[in-house]
Structures are given as structure tokens and as C-alpha cells.
Amino acid sequence: MSQSATPVDPMLPRNDGRPVLCQPLACITIAGSDPLASRRFFEGALDLNSTAVQLTGPAAARLAAHWGMQPAESLEVMLFSRPEIAAASLLRVVTVPASLPASRPALDCRYDGALGVGFPVRDLQRRHAIVEAYGFAATAGVTKMPFPRADGSTYEIGETHWVAPDEVMVLGVDRAHLQPVGPIDPALDIGGPSYSSALVSDAGAAAAFLDGVLGLELRREFTFESEGPRSGMRLPAGTRVRFQQWFAPGACTGYLVIMQLEQNGRRAPQSLGLQSRGIGLWSFPTARFDEVHARALTRGVRLLRAPAEIESPGFGRVRSMVLATPDDFPVEVFQC
């Protein structure tokens, strides 16, 4: 096949001049009960840099209230990053009591709510061996998954689904000759956090929020069927999954994967957010804060936390608000 006839990579940005309202996903915040285990996984197995941050007194109390957590006189936060890759998202793990329930018990992919974090990887078998050497398993080994293009053709990507602390799924994704899901450090053959995923009860309602409020673009949508419990998501065989990818206009990374189960779906057993262990907050930066706020109010979006000035670990002093998705998952929009 000539180069001109090669099917277009559906992950590539569109050139339709759509204005940018919210920028790519800047941060994924996890409520974690074991800081040492989190460091062993994210710093050890995945080679991220780590920085410890501790807030005390009024600063901790304000941040805990803004994040919808239980009242706290101090907060311990671990920041995991790939500083040499500017486009990579920041990963924050805030320490919470081990007694808090998991938002996704036993990593059950039938529940609504945030599911995982994706990393671009080259040589998945090698990285998988490193992850196992640190004592972490995968829901399935390195597998191949077919993805469709708009012209009806398909291509395969390699992926594996590691089980991180606090019932968080972490995907290693190798798109082979295609554009990776994010930049990769050539010395490590792995990049930083590049996307986050969630199960939703209504993909149409989620789309109205992501497009109408955050200004993200739906770059791709299709439906696939689960291969059964031996696949990475461990869903019943034949479960139809509606799959969407949402990007900031023009972006190549920092996106969201939204999935809706057409059968076998379950409502979240715990409240979504940082009062349960697991992924509890997505954070998007914007240069048009007041416009996002106005769009949220116009569309009747529930405001979990009104605009306020806070000290945000990893970003400094910001103006921030927290919005609720249709399933009540917290989404922060902030302006530095």
C-alpha cells in the first residue's frame, strides 16, 4: 500500500479550528492508603519521579474541604511525574485511612466510576517483567486488541492491565508504528500518565458534559464486545462496550476514555471522589475559567465546590472549582 493510501490514524488531531476551552488533562488524583506501595509501583515499577508534599493547618483543611474529603488537620500527598516530558499528566496520591472503602471493589469493571490510567510503552514484555519483579500483577498478560478506523479497517495495539494499589487499573499501551498515546522517554521506553478512563451509566449524558461544559472533542467512538473474564477488563463474555475518546482540541495526549456497558453495568457501590480509595479527581487547566463556570451554570451542572483560591500540590496557587459529572464524579477546572 502506498503512503498516500495508508489509512489515517484515528488518534491524530483534527484541523477544524475548534477553539480550546479546557486544556489536556493535567492531573489525576488518587486516594491511596499505602504510600510505600504507591511509591513501589509508580516510582519503582514505572520509573516516575516522586516528590512528597505535606500540608498542615488551615492549608490542609481548605484543600481537604475543596476536594470533598473528610476534615483533615494535615494532608500527605505524593506527586509522581515524568518532568522531562512536558505533555505528561501529573499523578497525585493523597494518603487516606485504609478503612475507607474502595470505589471499585476487587477492580470490578462493571461499576460506574473512574477506572484507570494509561501509559505509552515500548517493549511491553520487558516492562511487564519489571512490574512483576516489584510484586504487582496484571488482570491479564500482554494482549493484542483490535481497534477500528473510520474506513472499516482495523489495527492491533498491544496492552496490559496492571493492578496498582487501591484497586486502580494501570494500562501499558504499545501502538507499534502508530503515534503513541503520549510521548515516550527513549531511555526508559515508557512515558508518563497519558490518559484516564471511566465507566459511565450514560455515555450521551457524559458527552453533553465533556463537550458542552469542558469543550472537549469526541475524536473516536465505537462499540466492542468483551472476550470474557480472561480479558483485561474481566467482563462477562459478549458484553457490549460503548467506547469513546475525548481530547482537548488539537491535543495528542492528556485525554479521557469513556465506556458504557450496554449490559451488565452496575451503579457505583460507594460515593465517587476522594472519600473512597481509588481515582477520585480529574483536573483540567483553562485560560477561560469564567466561561467554563458560566457554561456549567447554564447547563445545570452540579457545582461540588464553588470557585476558590487554593494551594494545589504540583501547581501552586490556583483558582479552582469542582464540577460533578452526570454520575457525580468530581472534575476540577483550574486556572493558574
Side-chain angles (χ1 to χ4, degrees), residues 36 46 65 100 104 112 146 171 174 186 214 224 259 277 288 303 313:
L36 292 180
L46 298 191
L100 287 186
R104 188 173 296 282
D112 295 332
L171 284 82
D174 185 352
L214 302 186
F224 68 89
M259 294 173 283
R277 290 184 295 109
R288 299 160 69 178
L303 198 61

Side-chain angles (χ1 to χ4, degrees), residues 9 19 25-26 32 55 62 65 95 100 134 153 162 173 188 197-198 207 216 241 252 269 272 292 298 308 331 334:
D9 183 349
L25 179 66
L55 295 108
R62 282 194 298 269
T95 301
L100 287 186
Y134 274 89
S153 64
W162 297 305
V173 181
L188 298 172
S197 58
L216 304 184
V241 183
C252 296
L272 301 179
V292 178
T298 298
V331 174
F334 70 93

Side-chain angles (χ1 to χ4, degrees), residues 56-70:
T56 58
R62 282 194 298 269
L63 186 60
H66 193 73
W67 280 355
M69 302 177 65
Q70 297 177 356

